[in-house]
Amino acid sequence: MLNNDKQEILSQNSLKYVCSRLNFPAPELHSFPKYFLIENINQCNARCVMCGIDFDNKKTARLSAKLFAKIVEEISHHRDHVEKVMVYLDGEPLLEKSLPLRIKLLKEKGIKLVNIATNASLLNKKNSEKLIKAGLDEVYITMDSLKKDVYEKIRVGLEFETVKKNIFNFIKIRNKLNPRLTIRIQMVQQKLNWDEGESFKQFWQSHLNVKTDQIVVQKAHNWGSLIDVSGYNDKDEVNKIPCIALWGTFVVHVDGVVPLCCMDTNSLHSIGNLNNQSIKEVWQGKKLASYRHNHLNLNRNKIDICDGCTLWREEKHTE
């Protein structure tokens, strides 16, 4: 049992670690979120083997236009502070037809960087043009293998050739309509594609702008210890550090409920509700402060969803 002085030193050192990882001072992190994940639809058209979400038992729901507008309005008052707004969460954002209009609204309100992540299965020419013309700044596209059989074993329900074609078409349309839009092609490294990292990087280097685009091989994580597909054997190590998500990213589900983080897919650790609270109230509220306190004192193992969660390990990407 640590005495009060040692406990305070531990907490201060933990906070310094968080600030160094996020590259912002503590007062700035506490004032308002730097990053946002906004769920517009809670469904996906793939059933990926490394996913910890049971989409089959989720009743389809969408974030209302009214609540989305309220969220955007508050964010816009902090537009110089906010680094990025990601208009997606766990599922496939292109299933939401109003997505381009919502991206456009964010850009009209002065948000400097708007991002989506997609499996590219619905990223056809029509959708690509709508997204780019709406003002999208950045897109993460995940393609977990360059081998058809491996890809379709991982991304169950998707067609390899369709996805590959859509990605190449998107690159062409991006180059024509807005070369400044950043594309990040990423692979989630796991047992089925363990040996493909280097070949994946080499392949995409010849198709993307190596100066502005990104090619990432990302370590599979365990979805708050729900599954084990990674093979990285670092579950015990993560409890030795606080999770930066609690100081960096604000998450909103379709019903307006604010979960603890993006791993809290069923809002079992809800910290607020934007139907009757502001973002600032939730971010500076007692519930989140309590979770942060446990993390700063290296007691994250006392929180079931945080105990051994490898999402925000010290290095998410492979070398």
Side-chain angles (χ1 to χ4, degrees):
M1 189 76 176
L2 298 175
N3 62 38
N4 289 339
D5 289 341
K6 289 184 178 179
Q7 196 74 53
E8 181 62 24
I9 292 172
L10 173 63
S11 180
Q12 289 178 2
N13 287 338
S14 294
L15 185 57
K16 288 178 182 177
Y17 169 83
V18 169
C19 294
S20 67
R21 286 281 308 272
L22 290 169
N23 203 28
F24 295 104
E28 196 169 339
L29 292 173
H30 281 112
S31 65
F32 197 77
K34 284 289 184 181
Y35 303 94
F36 285 84
L37 278 165
I38 302 174
E39 183 180 54
N40 285 278
I41 186 169
N42 67 344
Q43 276 300 326
C44 191
N45 58 349
R47 296 295 181 265
C48 303
V49 295
M50 67 288 190
C51 183
I53 304 172
D54 184 5
F55 285 107
D56 291 325
N57 287 315
K58 271 182 176 273
K59 184 178 180 180
T60 301
R62 291 174 165 83
L63 183 69
S64 71
K66 181 179 179 181
L67 184 53
F68 183 79
K70 176 194 173 185
I71 293 168
V72 174
E73 183 63 27
E74 185 175 355
I75 294 174
S76 72
H77 296 310
H78 302 268
R79 63 176 67 90
D80 295 331
H81 173 91
V82 174
E83 294 294 314
K84 184 186 298 190
V85 175
M86 296 164 274
V87 201
Y88 68 92
L89 189 52
D90 303 312
E92 173 49 50
L94 294 182
L95 290 170
E96 174 51 57
K97 302 300 183 184
S98 68
L99 185 63
L101 292 176
R102 296 188 173 189
I103 292 170
K104 184 180 179 182
L105 177 60
L106 283 161
K107 295 307 296 181
E108 288 174 347
K109 289 291 186 176
I111 307 307
K112 55 191 173 188
L113 205 163
V114 179
N115 160 291
I116 65 166
T118 176
N119 60 38
S121 61
L122 301 175
L123 196 62
N124 54 38
K125 291 182 179 180
K126 183 178 179 181
N127 285 335
S128 295
E129 290 183 358
K130 285 183 177 181
L131 292 169
I132 295 170
K133 289 178 179 179
L136 185 68
D137 298 295
E138 183 178 68
V139 60
Y140 296 166
I141 301 174
T142 305
M143 189 179 191
D144 294 316
S145 178
L146 296 172
K147 302 173 184 177
K148 175 180 170 64
D149 60 329
V150 175
Y151 177 85
E152 293 183 355
K153 285 179 182 177
I154 295 174
R155 299 264 159 178
V156 178
L158 303 186
E159 297 178 353
F160 175 81
E161 295 299 339
T162 297
V163 169
K164 187 176 180 181
K165 177 183 177 182
N166 284 349
I167 294 173
F168 279 114
N169 281 335
F170 184 84
I171 293 170
K172 290 179 182 177
I173 297 169
R174 183 282 302 264
N175 292 344
K176 178 182 178 181
L177 296 181
N178 182 13
R180 295 186 303 278
L181 188 155
T182 299
I183 298 173
R184 182 166 98 177
I185 300 287
Q186 58 189 23
M187 181 185 95
V188 179
Q189 190 177 46
Q190 55 200 281
K191 294 174 183 177
L192 288 168
N193 62 8
W194 195 262
D195 61 347
E196 293 188 49
E198 286 306 312
S199 59
F200 179 87
K201 292 177 183 178
Q202 291 173 11
F203 177 84
W204 288 109
Q205 282 173 356
S206 61
H207 298 287
L208 294 171
N209 185 332
V210 294
K211 293 183 179 180
T212 57
D213 293 327
Q214 303 166 19
I215 305 164
V216 171
V217 177
Q218 188 162 298
K219 297 176 182 178
H221 62 84
N222 63 9
W223 288 89
S225 297
L226 285 177
I227 59 175
D228 181 16
V229 296
S230 65
Y232 290 103
N233 300 318
D234 56 358
K235 182 176 178 179
D236 293 334
E237 292 300 310
V238 295
N239 281 356
K240 298 176 183 178
I241 57 174
C243 179
I244 60 174
L246 304 189
W247 286 264
T249 305
F250 191 94
V251 183
V252 186
H253 280 155
V254 288
D255 55 2
V257 173
V258 182
L260 178 61
C261 67
C262 59
M263 291 297 93
D264 189 12
T265 57
N266 293 310
S267 300
L268 298 180
H269 298 267
S270 169
I271 58 171
N273 191 320
L274 296 189
N275 288 292
N276 50 44
Q277 292 177 282
S278 69
I279 294 168
K280 189 172 184 178
E281 285 173 338
V282 176
W283 191 247
Q284 297 181 0
K286 292 182 179 179
K287 285 188 177 181
L288 182 53
S290 176
Y291 284 109
R292 286 172 174 165
H293 177 79
N294 273 318
H295 275 251
L296 289 180
N297 289 285
L298 302 188
N299 289 323
R300 61 183 285 174
N301 62 306
K302 294 181 178 180
I303 309 164
D304 57 357
I305 196 172
C306 303
D307 183 18
C309 176
T310 58
L311 175 62
W312 286 105
R313 45 168 61 102
E314 287 199 285
E315 181 49 67
K316 289 187 67 175
H317 306 148
T318 62
E319 294 296 330

